[in-house]
Amino acid sequence: MDAPAPPPYRRIVDEIRRRIDSGELAPGDRVPSTRRITQEWGVAMATATKVLTTLRQEGAVRAVPGVGTVVAEPQRAARTEPPRGRRPRDTDTGLSRDRVVRAAVRVADAEGLRALSMRRVAAEFGVSSMALYRHVANKEALVLLMADAAFEDVRLPDPAPEGWRDRMEAGARLQWGLYQRHPWLAQYLSITRPQPMPRAMALIEWTMARVEGVDPVTLIHMAVTLLNYVRSTAAGFEDDLEAEQETGMDQNQWMASMEPVFEGILQSGSYPMYAGIDGAGEGVVTLETMFEFGLARLLDGMEVLVGRRSAAGPGTVS
């Protein structure tokens, strides 16, 4: 008797795996979205969602906030507990503050800041959590070190933009890229209770270095306004990462599952603005498009302000 045919979702999973194994889809490439799967294979949205969920569970793909589901890099799975039959070591041979911080950053990047704990980081080294306390005082101190280390990775353009607007835009994009690499970082930072992070302060100083003709109070308001715009927009990266872990669906899958509900709302005729983009396709409104639109408008406003202040001379915030 012939073996039963595999279910539709499994056939699609196998086909996408074939594309990955053959190199047709390389690490970092986006895989077909749920909508694309329904169109290409003629299956229901639930089946398409199961395809991506299965691929993610098998480690073939991963979700990147603000980008979508991409082919995962081949890597050794992180240990969340010591191998069976082996107890965590109390010794910390080979550990250092830098190694602990870097391991913690990797955990937070992959799993979110809520998942971070001293025990979770210790598991990366196969040691007890007590071994980490020889290098960092507590989790709060660890996260501060992580944030400062993340800013260390920023590479300033050389040569730097000369114009003040180009410099501010470049600084904003450096922050945006940093938050994409470290989704937890934006939500950790605070403008009301700023942490002492010299590397972050250096980036902001560099960003504002070409603004002239305004008083120091206005300048710091400009700096914090720009910082907070980028930070608050990028906070969606961590929100999306946590939502995926809770629901098992990436952003595209979740939006696809909500599509029938939104369609019913839009058909009421009470929301013409939203209805205007219905059917416009994926990627019309994303964190990336919101960042680009808002950054341009924010700098437009700054340009008016700088022009007025330069003409009037140093003054006060108004």
Side-chain angles (χ1 to χ4, degrees):
M1 180 180 295
D2 294 335
Y9 88 90
R10 188 69 246 181
R11 293 199 299 271
I12 302 171
V13 167
D14 292 342
E15 170 57 22
I16 295 176
R17 288 298 297 262
R18 184 197 65 77
R19 297 177 186 181
I20 294 172
D21 294 341
S22 68
E24 184 179 342
L25 289 173
D29 287 349
R30 286 192 62 178
V31 299
S33 65
T34 49
R35 180 172 296 182
R36 176 70 180 276
I37 291 172
T38 62
Q39 295 171 346
E40 184 173 346
W41 280 278
V43 295
M45 185 61 67
T47 300
T49 299
K50 190 171 184 178
V51 168
L52 293 186
T53 299
T54 302
L55 286 167
R56 186 171 59 252
Q57 291 172 343
E58 293 178 354
V61 302
R62 63 186 181 92
V64 177
V67 176
T69 303
V70 303
V71 178
E73 293 279 355
Q75 60 182 357
R76 177 180 60 84
R79 293 197 309 267
T80 57
E81 60 182 21
R84 182 174 298 181
R86 174 184 169 190
R87 299 185 63 183
R89 302 192 310 272
D90 288 329
T91 58
D92 64 349
T93 303
L95 284 186
S96 66
R97 172 178 287 187
D98 182 68
R99 290 192 67 201
V100 170
V101 170
R102 293 295 175 180
V105 168
R106 290 194 300 271
V107 171
D109 287 349
E111 303 173 21
L113 203 56
R114 289 185 184 179
L116 185 75
S117 67
M118 300 296 276
R119 178 178 296 180
R120 175 66 184 84
V121 178
E124 292 290 296
F125 301 102
V127 300
S128 72
S129 57
M130 290 304 298
L132 270 58
Y133 289 105
R134 300 187 180 100
H135 304 279
V136 292
N138 48 43
K139 179 182 174 180
E140 181 179 348
L142 175 59
V143 178
L144 177 58
L145 291 169
M146 290 163 55
D148 198 43
F151 276 94
E152 184 182 13
D153 294 336
V154 173
R155 296 293 177 263
L156 299 177
D158 185 16
E162 288 297 325
W164 71 265
R165 176 169 176 149
D166 289 341
R167 178 72 74 94
M168 285 185 68
E169 180 178 348
R173 294 189 183 282
L174 287 171
Q175 292 177 54
W176 183 253
L178 183 65
Y179 299 144
Q180 286 182 304
R181 296 191 296 274
H182 307 291
W184 54 272
L185 182 58
Q187 290 197 3
Y188 171 72
L189 299 177
S190 171
I191 62 169
T192 57
R193 299 189 180 188
Q195 296 279 19
M197 291 188 293
R199 292 179 180 122
M201 295 169 67
L203 174 58
I204 304 306
E205 284 281 353
W206 180 90
T207 299
M208 307 304 297
R210 290 291 183 265
V211 181
E212 299 176 351
V214 299
D215 61 278
V217 176
T218 299
L219 188 64
I220 196 67
H221 276 79
M222 291 173 63
V224 174
T225 297
L226 181 67
L227 167 66
N228 196 47
Y229 167 70
V230 182
R231 182 192 69 86
S232 59
T233 305
F237 291 133
E238 176 79 343
D239 290 339
D240 196 44
L241 179 61
E242 291 182 351
E244 181 189 350
Q245 292 174 343
E246 292 176 2
T247 65
M249 295 186 289
D250 64 24
Q251 183 184 32
N252 290 333
Q253 292 171 306
W254 187 86
M255 288 297 294
S257 70
M258 291 291 103
E259 188 171 353
V261 179
F262 283 117
E263 285 291 339
I265 295 174
L266 296 180
Q267 288 173 4
S268 69
S270 300
Y271 306 93
M273 179 184 69
Y274 293 98
I277 63 170
D278 186 34
E282 297 177 0
V284 176
V285 180
T286 64
L287 284 178
E288 194 71 37
T289 64
M290 288 187 285
F291 167 72
E292 294 291 346
F293 180 88
L295 177 61
R297 304 294 80 74
L298 184 61
L299 293 175
D300 288 344
M302 296 286 190
E303 194 162 15
V304 174
L305 173 64
V306 171
R308 289 176 178 173
R309 290 302 173 93
S310 297
T316 58
V317 177
S318 61

